[in-house]
Amino acid sequence: MRTVILLLLLTILCTCAPSPATSDAEKADLPEAPRHEWPREAPVKMILDSDTANEIDDLFAIAYLVTEDYPGFELLGISSAQWFHVWSGDSTVYQSQQLNEELLDLAGRSDLPHPLGADLIMGKPWGDYDPRDSPAAQFIIDETMALNDDEKLVVMCIGAATNLASAIALQPEIKDRIVAYTLGFRYDFDGGFWNKDEFNIRRDLNAANYLLNAEGLELHVMPISVAIEYTWDRNETFGQLGKAGEIGAYLRKRWETSAGPDATKWTMWDVALLQAFLKPEQASEISVPTPPENTPRSVWMYEDIDPEAMAEDFWLRLNKK
C-alpha cells in the first residue's frame, strides 16, 4: 500500500513540475507562423483597406498615415470596404469611399490611389468563397504582381476582409507575396480559443475564413480583446485635435456627429493595429493555431500593446509642425 501511495505522489509531482513556456502553435504541434524579414534598404509597401464610414477610428488611422510619408514605409493606396448590416443603410462601401476622398483631399493627398471596394460580402450568405471583384481587389492584384521577386506587400484590413480575400481568390498566385494584417476576432489566451462573434468578422465571415484557410499567407491578427486597451478620453482628444488644423477640426466634427454626445470615450481599434504594425516595439505577438474548423496552420496574434506610447506617438505625428 505504501508503495502505491508513493507512486501516486511521484506521478503528481512529475505532472506538476514546471516546463518551458510554449506558444499555442507549439502546443498544437504546429510550426511557428511564417514571418517575412523586411530588407532595411527598401521601404515596406502597404495598402490600407478601410470601412471608414462605419466608426470614427478609421478616420483617425487614415489621418495618422497620410499626414506625411511615414519613414520606412510606402503607402500605395487606401481602398474602401463594405460594412453592411441592418442599421448601416445601403451602399456602405460608397459611404466609406466618400469619407476616404474627403480626408485625402483635406490632407492634400488626392493623388494617392483610393480604389472603390466591393459592396457585398464574398461568397454567399451561407458560405462559399466566390470572389467579389472590384477596383480595390484589382488594385491589390496589380500592385502585388508589380513587385520585384524579393518583395512582399502589406495589405491591412481594418474592416471586413472582402477586398483582400477576393483579390487572392481571383489571382491565387499573389497569396505568397502578401503579408496580411486584420483587425477582428476575440481570442482567449488562457484557453487558446478563437471567437468569431465580432463586428468585422460578422461583416464577412466568408472572407475571414478564406484568409485563415489560405496556406502560405502570412497573417497577423489584432483581436479586439487586445485593441480595447487603446481607449481615448474625448476631452483630451479634442484638446489635441485643436492643435491639428483642418484635419483636427474634421476629426472632431466626425466624433461629434457620428459618435454622438454620449461618447465620452472611444476605443481606437483600427489605430491600434496600424501603430502596432508601424512600431512593433509597442506591441507583442505570439504564434497561434487557426481555429479547429479552419485549415490547420499557424498565424500571428497580437497579445499586448503599449497604449500610452502609442497615444504619445500619435499626437506627436498628427500635430507635427
Side-chain angles (χ1 to χ4, degrees):
M1 186 66 176
R2 290 178 180 177
T3 303
V4 172
I5 292 173
L6 181 60
L7 288 172
L8 286 171
L9 287 172
L10 287 172
T11 301
I12 293 171
L13 287 172
C14 290
T15 303
C16 297
S19 59
T22 55
S23 70
D24 290 347
E26 290 173 324
K27 293 174 186 175
D29 197 26
L30 289 169
E32 186 175 76
R35 186 187 291 276
H36 179 63
E37 293 295 329
W38 300 98
R40 294 186 178 183
E41 64 276 7
V44 177
K45 296 179 178 179
M46 68 175 294
I47 295 171
L48 183 68
D49 187 69
S50 174
D51 60 342
T52 316
N54 168 41
E55 288 187 326
I56 60 175
D57 42 298
D58 302 76
L59 282 168
F60 280 80
I62 295 171
Y64 180 82
L65 198 54
V66 303
T67 302
E68 60 180 353
D69 291 337
Y70 200 97
F73 296 86
E74 181 182 355
L75 179 62
L76 301 180
I78 297 175
S79 52
S80 50
Q82 62 82 21
W83 48 282
F84 182 76
H85 60 77
V86 67
W87 294 320
S88 65
D90 295 331
S91 304
T92 54
V93 72
Y94 294 99
Q95 298 176 41
S96 294
Q97 183 71 14
Q98 179 181 348
L99 292 186
N100 286 354
E101 292 176 1
E102 287 178 3
L103 191 53
L104 288 173
D105 183 60
L106 200 59
R109 296 296 308 275
S110 295
D111 60 310
L112 189 71
H114 44 279
L116 179 72
D119 61 346
L120 293 173
I121 66 168
M122 184 185 201
K124 304 175 181 68
W126 55 86
D128 214 339
Y129 303 120
D130 305 315
R132 191 71 58 188
D133 202 356
S134 68
Q138 290 299 325
F139 182 68
I140 293 170
I141 292 170
D142 292 344
E143 293 298 330
T144 306
M145 297 297 288
L147 295 171
N148 296 325
D149 291 342
D150 59 343
E151 288 185 309
K152 286 200 175 189
L153 172 67
V154 169
V155 181
M156 181 175 294
C157 301
I158 54 178
T162 309
N163 297 326
L164 173 57
S166 295
I168 296 173
L170 288 164
Q171 193 87 22
E173 64 200 85
I174 70 173
K175 172 171 56 69
D176 297 332
R177 310 289 304 281
I178 288 174
V179 179
Y181 283 78
T182 63
L183 172 75
F185 304 101
R186 292 179 174 87
Y187 190 77
D188 184 322
F189 289 93
D190 292 330
F193 304 126
W194 292 72
N195 184 346
K196 296 177 181 177
D197 189 12
E198 184 275 325
F199 184 90
N200 281 352
I201 304 309
R202 277 178 170 268
R203 302 288 65 76
D204 197 339
L205 179 61
N206 298 337
N209 280 325
Y210 188 89
L211 296 186
L212 288 169
N213 292 336
E215 293 185 88
L217 174 69
E218 181 180 332
L219 177 61
H220 299 252
V221 176
M222 171 67 76
I224 66 164
S225 42
V226 171
I228 198 170
E229 298 175 35
Y230 199 27
T231 298
W232 290 0
D233 174 80
R234 181 179 60 190
N235 291 337
E236 293 177 5
T237 301
F238 284 6
Q240 293 286 357
L241 291 176
K243 309 171 189 176
E246 287 186 300
I247 287 181
Y250 180 86
L251 294 175
R252 173 170 177 155
K253 183 178 180 181
R254 185 67 184 173
W255 183 311
E256 291 173 334
T257 58
S258 180
D262 296 330
T264 57
K265 295 185 181 296
W266 196 271
T267 301
M268 293 294 159
W269 315 98
D270 305 318
V271 193
L273 173 59
L274 178 62
Q275 290 190 261
F277 162 67
L278 294 173
K279 286 208 167 183
E281 68 274 14
Q282 294 178 355
S284 60
E285 297 178 281
I286 60 171
S287 180
V288 304
T290 50
E293 66 271 20
N294 294 106
T295 299
R297 69 189 193 97
S298 298
V299 299
W300 292 105
M301 181 73 67
Y302 281 101
E303 62 172 345
D304 195 22
I305 58 174
D306 186 344
E308 290 78 17
M310 285 181 166
E312 182 179 356
D313 281 348
F314 185 94
W315 296 119
L316 283 174
R317 178 169 170 78
L318 195 69
N319 298 332
K320 189 175 181 180
K321 302 300 183 182

